[in-house]
C-alpha cells in the first residue's frame, strides 16, 4: 500500500499555530522512535520558541548552574555577561540561528525563532535530533560532561593549585571530550535519521544524509588538526619546547569550530556503529571505549575493528 503523502511544513505568521504544528509532528516522531528503539522515554513537557538573545541567556544559565552546583564556582554578573558575549561570537556562522536544545532541568525544548522564520526546512530534523538526545540519555549511566565544562574545570584547578602541568593534563582530557562529544552528536543524528526514514514524512532523508556526508568530507581535517594539537599537549607534559599560549588558543579555536560541525563529523562513524551493533553498541562505545582518534572518524572500519576486540 502506498504511504499517504505527508503535509508540507506548516509555518504561519501565528506563533501558536506554528508551535502546535511542531508539537503535533514531533509527538508522531516520538511515538515512532519509541517503537523503533524499544525505549519508553517521555516527551518534552513543553516547547518554547524564543529569541536568539534568550537562547544565549539560557545556555549561560545552564553553565552557571553547573559550575555552582558541581564546583562551588560563583562568578559576578559582569563575568557571566562576558561569557554570554563570547558565546554570541561563535566561530561558526549561523550556528545559533539553526539552534534548538533540550534542557533536562525543566524538560523543555527551546528553539531559536530565527530558525522558524528563516529556515523552516530545518525545524523537524533539528528537533528530532533533540528527541534523540533525550532518548540516548535513558541509555547512558550518567550525563556526559561537555568539552567546555571540562576546560573550565581544568582552568579552575590550575588556578587553585598553581600547577600549570595539571592544566595541560586536563587540556588533554578536554581534547578527548571533544572527540567523545562529536561521536555522541553523531549517534543522536543517526537515531534521528533512522526514525525519519521510517515515517511518512516529507523529509528527504536521503538528501539530509548526503548533506551530512558532504559536510563530513569538507570538515574532517579539523579532527586531524585537533589530534595534532593533542600531540603537542603531550609534548608539553614531556617538557619539550612548545608555545603554550599559542597551543591553548589553537585548541580553543578548533574546538569552537568543531562544536558547530559535530553532526557532520560524527554521523558516518555513528551510523556504522549503529548498523552493526545497534543503539546498545553505540552506548557501550560512548561509555567504555569512545573513539578518541581522528582516523576513526575518517575510516569507520578501523574503529569497528577496535570494537571487535572489546567484545561488544
Amino acid at each position: 500500500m502506498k504511504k499517504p503523502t505527508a503535509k508540507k511544513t506548516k509555518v504561519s505568521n501565528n506563533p501558536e499555530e506554528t508551535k502546535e504544528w511542531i508539537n503535533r509532528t514531533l509527538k508522531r516522531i516520538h511515538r515512532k522512535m519509541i517503537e523503533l528503539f524499544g525505549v519508553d522515554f517521555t516527551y518534552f513537557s513543553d516547547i518554547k520558541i524564543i529569541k536568539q538573545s534568550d537562547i544565549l541567556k539560557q545556555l549561560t544559565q545552564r553553565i552557571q548552574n553547573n559550575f555552582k552546583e558541581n564546583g562551588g564556582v560563583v562568578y559576578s554578573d559582569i563575568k557571566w555577561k562576558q561569557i554570554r558575549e563570547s558565546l554570541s561570537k561563535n566561530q561558526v556562522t549561523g550556528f545559533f540561528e539553526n539552534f534548538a536544545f533540550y534542557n533536562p532541568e525543566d524538560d523543555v525544548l527551546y528553539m531559536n525563532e530565527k530558525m522558524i522564520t528563516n529556515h523552516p526546512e530545518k525545524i523537524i530534523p533539528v528537533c528530532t535530533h533533540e528527541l534523540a538526545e533525550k532518548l540516548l540519555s535513558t541509555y547512558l549511566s550518567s550525563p556526559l560532561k561537555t568539552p567546555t565544562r571540562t576546560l573550565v574545570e581544568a582552568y579552575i584547578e590550575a588556578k587553585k593549585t598553581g600547577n600549570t602541568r595539571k592544566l595541560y593534563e586536563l587540556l588533554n582530557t578536554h581534547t578527548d571530550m571533544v572527540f567523545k562529544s562529536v561521536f555522541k552528536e553523531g549517534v543522536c543524528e543517526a537515531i534521528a535519521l533512522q526514525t525519519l526514514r521510517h515515517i511518512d514524512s516529507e523529509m528527504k532523508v536521503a538528501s539530509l544524509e548526503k548533506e551530512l556526508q558532504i559536510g563530513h568530507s569538507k570538515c574532517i581535517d579539523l579532527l586531524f588538526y585537533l589530534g595534532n594539537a593533542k600531540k603537542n599537549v603531550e609534548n608539553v607534559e614531556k617538557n619539550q619546547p612548545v608555545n603554550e599560549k599559542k597551543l591553548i588558543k589553537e585548541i580553543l579555536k578548533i574546538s569552537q569550530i568543531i562544536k558547530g560541525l559535530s553532526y557532520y563529523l560524527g554521523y558516518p562513524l555513528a551510523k556504522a556503529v549503529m548498523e552493526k551493533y545497534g543503539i546498545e553498541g553505540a552506548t557501550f562505545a560512548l561509555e567504555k571505549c569512545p573513539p578518541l582518534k581522528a582516523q576513526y572518524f575518517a575510516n569507520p572500519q578501523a574503529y569497528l575493528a577496535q570494537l571487535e576486540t572489546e567484545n561488544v
Side-chain angles (χ1 to χ4, degrees), residues 261-290:
L261 300 169
S262 294
Y263 296 9
Y264 298 128
L265 292 168
Y267 176 73
L269 177 58
K271 182 187 178 188
V273 172
M274 286 192 61
E275 284 179 345
K276 186 166 185 178
Y277 296 111
I279 192 170
E280 292 85 358
T283 306
F284 175 88
L286 267 172
E287 296 193 317
K288 304 298 182 181
C289 52

Side-chain angles (χ1 to χ4, degrees), residues 291-306:
L292 303 180
K293 297 179 181 179
Q295 69 187 63
Y296 291 147
F297 293 89
N299 178 16
Q301 292 306 314
Y303 183 60
L304 292 178
Q306 174 67 25

Side-chain angles (χ1 to χ4, degrees), residues 30-163:
H30 174 249
R31 289 193 296 271
K32 177 56 70 173
M33 204 173 274
I34 289 174
E35 177 188 326
L36 284 174
F37 296 98
V39 179
D40 189 11
F41 69 105
T42 59
Y43 185 67
F44 306 115
S45 65
D46 196 9
I47 292 175
K48 293 184 179 179
I49 302 170
I50 60 179
K51 295 179 180 180
Q52 180 160 313
S53 58
D54 292 326
I55 286 273
L56 295 172
K57 287 178 183 177
Q58 284 281 345
L59 290 176
T60 307
Q61 188 63 50
R62 287 179 67 185
I63 296 171
Q64 186 174 356
N65 291 343
N66 277 336
F67 289 168
K68 186 175 180 179
E69 293 170 10
N70 297 292
V73 180
V74 180
Y75 289 151
S76 67
D77 290 343
I78 293 175
K79 183 65 176 177
W80 285 114
K81 183 180 178 181
Q82 291 172 344
I83 292 173
R84 187 160 60 247
E85 288 173 353
S86 176
L87 283 172
S88 69
K89 295 174 183 175
N90 194 281
Q91 300 283 346
V92 183
T93 303
F95 174 65
F96 283 109
E97 189 164 305
N98 299 330
F99 193 73
F101 71 93
Y102 160 65
N103 187 351
E105 292 182 6
D106 57 12
D107 200 31
V108 171
L109 173 67
Y110 294 91
M111 65 183 73
N112 191 341
E113 67 176 9
K114 282 191 174 183
M115 178 172 65
I116 308 298
T117 56
N118 298 345
H119 306 281
E121 77 285 356
K122 298 282 187 182
I123 297 171
I124 298 307
V126 169
C127 292
T128 302
H129 180 99
E130 295 307 308
L131 265 178
E133 187 122 20
K134 201 170 192 296
L135 180 149
L136 185 62
S137 68
T138 66
Y139 276 93
L140 298 174
S141 58
S142 60
L144 297 177
K145 288 184 178 180
T146 65
T148 300
R149 180 174 162 187
T150 61
L151 187 60
V152 173
E153 287 175 347
Y155 177 76
I156 292 169
E157 179 68 16
K159 281 287 187 181
K160 283 181 180 178
T161 62
N163 188 344

